[in-house]
């Protein structure tokens, strides 16, 4: 949970400090030709409008139309959350965890909610937070694991040397 929490805090701070418009915003915004300023833009459910049309219910329009944060494209938390799960050994297996990460990344790109750089930014933040957790928040358990691995290796070498002496 620490990794997810710090990932969210860092990502939302970046989104507020460096607002980035998502692809759907750039597709629907109307700009003033002389000044280049945005004249109007509507909340948009991006490519999910196709699902609303298929179902006949404006579900995605209602969900995404309520969002107060239009400029939160970079980094992608849609992609970061599955990456957090994948890095922490999901109970359903690494292959399914990786497939989930790829699937959500594809959906975020396909639905025009994110650019590829947004997805890579989300993955990078998770990796940085996880690395920080290993070295800062869990320094002793990290060192203990390294020590345990070293002891296991030394036992293996002892067994190998005893086997080679017997031969």
């Amino acid at each position: 949970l620490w990794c997810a929490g710090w990932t969210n805090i860092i990502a939302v701070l970046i989104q507020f400090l460096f607002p980035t418009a998502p692809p759907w915003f750039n597709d629907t915004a109307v700009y003033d030709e002389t000044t280049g300023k945005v004249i109007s833009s509507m909340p948009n459910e991006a490519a999910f409008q196709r699902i609303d049309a298929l179902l006949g219910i404006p579900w995605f329009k209602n969900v995404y139309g309520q969002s107060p944060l239009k400029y939160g494209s970079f980094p992608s938390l849609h992609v970061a959350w599955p990456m957090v799960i994948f890095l922490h050994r999901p109970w359903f297996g690494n292959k399914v965890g990786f497939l989930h990460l790829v699937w959500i990344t594809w959906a975020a790109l396909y639905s025009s909610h994110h650019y590829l750089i947004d997805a890579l930014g989300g993955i990078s933040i998770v990796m940085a937070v996880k690395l920080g957790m290993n070295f800062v928040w869990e320094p002793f358990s990290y060192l203990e694991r390294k020590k345990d691995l070293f002891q296991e290796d030394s036992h293996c070498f002892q067994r190998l040397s005893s086997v080679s002496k017997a031969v």
Side-chain angles (χ1 to χ4, degrees):
L1 288 175
W2 280 104
C3 187
W6 281 107
T7 297
N8 284 332
I9 289 169
I10 293 168
V12 170
L13 279 174
I14 291 171
Q15 289 172 351
F16 279 118
L17 294 174
F18 306 103
T20 309
W24 65 260
F25 182 86
N26 292 326
D27 292 342
T28 61
V30 178
Y31 297 94
D32 183 354
E33 292 180 16
T34 57
T35 64
K37 293 183 179 181
V38 175
I39 296 173
S40 69
S41 175
M42 297 294 292
N44 190 323
E45 66 277 13
F48 288 123
Q49 61 198 3
R50 291 174 238 167
I51 296 172
D52 282 351
L54 182 69
L55 297 175
I57 325 169
W59 191 76
F60 285 102
K61 183 178 178 91
N62 292 339
V63 169
Y64 288 108
Q66 305 298 323
S67 176
L69 184 60
K70 289 184 190 178
Y71 304 107
S73 180
F74 182 86
S76 171
L77 284 171
H78 288 112
V79 176
W81 295 332
M83 184 64 182
V84 168
I85 294 168
F86 178 67
L87 278 184
H88 290 90
R89 299 183 187 149
W91 61 269
F92 41 80
N94 284 337
K95 288 180 184 177
V96 176
F98 182 73
L99 180 64
H100 180 237
L101 173 64
V102 170
W103 181 25
I104 296 297
T105 302
W106 174 83
L109 298 176
Y110 173 76
S111 65
S112 297
H113 281 283
H114 295 285
Y115 295 106
L116 181 59
I117 191 72
D118 303 337
L120 295 176
I123 289 171
S124 299
I125 288 174
V126 173
M127 298 292 282
V129 167
K130 178 66 174 157
L131 187 67
M133 285 176 56
N134 286 345
F135 290 111
V136 176
W137 290 303
E138 300 174 2
F140 301 112
S141 64
Y142 181 74
L143 292 174
E144 286 296 318
R145 281 184 294 201
K146 281 186 83 168
K147 188 171 95 176
D148 291 343
L149 289 173
F150 178 74
Q151 287 175 350
E152 287 177 23
D153 287 344
S154 66
H155 291 302
C156 289
F157 288 128
Q158 288 172 354
R159 279 184 261 143
L160 281 174
S161 65
S162 65
V163 169
S164 64
K165 286 178 187 176
V167 173

